[in-house]
Amino acid sequence: MVEDFVRHYGYAAVALGALAEGETVLLLAGYGAHRGWLEWPWVVLVAALAATLGDQFFFFLGRWFGPQLVQRFSGLENNLPRVQRLLHRGAPWAIVSVRFLYGLRIAGPVLIGMAGVAPWRFVLYNAIGAALWAPLVTGLGWFFGAGVAELASRLQWAEEILLAIAIVVLLIVWRLWKRRQRASSNL
């Protein structure tokens, strides 16, 4: 099922997933790249570009419609102090790191847009964040795929050993049963 999804939708799924939250789709795409269904460099490139564009969209949404969004979505207001603290401590790295913080992937760019960060500054550091995020998450999917492949080969080896042990045990039980049958028939 995963193989069919990744093969059928491939890079389009990566782009759509990266526009929003993206981690799950990107992990699957990294796994798919390991399996040879997708090309790893293309997955990273598509994810980085789509994530950058998606965050830019949310940034400008916050810049232009921030107060209305806060009224409509109360969760945004709850995250506003957290984003403002991050921006106050180190604006560039707050922008880079917001995509790595749980619950702030979409809300972060909206709130940064509301905070009045210059658009050129957000574009630059958002692109840097996407350039770090895409290969990291894709790489995790790739290594997960490698781990699954290694586990499968070890399980196959263990399965063969267990099968051999089961055959030996069955032979021993069968021989003991036969002996017992012969012993009871001799009485």
Side-chain angles (χ1 to χ4, degrees), residues 71-92:
Q71 283 179 340
R72 175 100 167 104
F73 303 102
S74 61
L76 281 174
E77 190 171 22
N78 297 340
N79 284 314
L80 187 58
R82 184 175 173 195
V83 170
Q84 287 174 330
R85 278 193 310 274
L86 285 170
L87 289 171
H88 181 68
R89 289 185 190 151

Side-chain angles (χ1 to χ4, degrees), residues 48-67:
L49 289 173
T52 300
L53 291 173
D55 285 358
Q56 287 305 136
F57 171 77
F58 293 118
F59 171 82
F60 284 110
L61 210 63
R63 190 168 182 87
W64 296 328
F65 304 105

Side-chain angles (χ1 to χ4, degrees), residues 4 33 40 65-66 75 82 91 108-109 130 141 148 154 157 160 173 175 177 187:
D4 291 338
W40 193 84
F65 304 105
R82 184 175 173 195
V148 167
R154 288 181 186 215
W157 179 77
E160 290 169 359
V173 168
R175 285 191 159 231
W177 182 73
L187 291 175

Side-chain angles (χ1 to χ4, degrees), residues 17-18 21 23 66 89 99 109 126 131 133 150 162 164-165:
E21 293 292 330
E23 282 80 9
R89 289 185 190 151
R99 78 178 55 255
N126 178 41
W133 172 81
E150 177 67 25
L162 289 174
I165 291 170

Side-chain angles (χ1 to χ4, degrees), residues 1-79:
M1 185 171 139
V2 171
E3 177 180 355
D4 291 338
F5 177 78
V6 173
R7 285 186 180 197
H8 189 264
Y9 297 105
Y11 302 108
V14 170
L16 288 174
L19 280 169
E21 293 292 330
E23 282 80 9
T24 304
V25 171
L26 205 50
L27 286 169
L28 287 173
Y31 173 76
H34 179 269
R35 297 294 307 256
W37 306 329
L38 300 170
E39 296 294 325
W40 193 84
W42 284 110
V43 170
V44 171
L45 181 65
V46 168
L49 289 173
T52 300
L53 291 173
D55 285 358
Q56 287 305 136
F57 171 77
F58 293 118
F59 171 82
F60 284 110
L61 210 63
R63 190 168 182 87
W64 296 328
F65 304 105
Q68 296 94 320
L69 290 171
V70 167
Q71 283 179 340
R72 175 100 167 104
F73 303 102
S74 61
L76 281 174
E77 190 171 22
N78 297 340
N79 284 314

